[in-house]
Amino acid sequence: MSINGGANVDLSAAIWRKAADGAQNDSVEVALLADGHVGLRNGKDPEGPVLVFTPGEWAAFTAGVQDGEFDRPA
């Protein structure tokens, strides 16, 4: 897989972890990759596409989650 101007990220040794949802249903899966990259995929379609985040992108995303940036309005 290629990201950021052609930097290659090898997904063959990725260890995917399911996000805990309480019901143990298929959900989002996350893998820590080489050079600090993070892979994100649909647990219902593990052979499908993978989003690959750089360390900075992942930090910004997780900070937004913690700050409630993606919460649905009440």
Side-chain angles (χ1 to χ4, degrees):
M1 171 163 287
S2 177
I3 62 167
N4 284 357
N8 288 319
V9 176
D10 182 10
L11 299 174
S12 63
I15 298 173
W16 295 94
R17 298 179 300 158
K18 289 187 183 293
D21 68 355
Q24 299 302 315
N25 294 328
D26 290 339
S27 58
V28 173
E29 295 181 341
V30 177
L32 302 178
L33 306 171
D35 297 328
H37 292 92
V38 177
L40 193 68
R41 72 180 183 185
N42 181 348
K44 294 178 183 177
D45 185 16
E47 300 303 318
V50 174
L51 297 174
V52 177
F53 295 86
T54 65
E57 291 168 336
W58 187 251
F61 172 70
T62 57
V65 170
Q66 291 173 350
D67 289 342
E69 186 176 330
F70 306 108
D71 292 353
R72 291 185 179 184

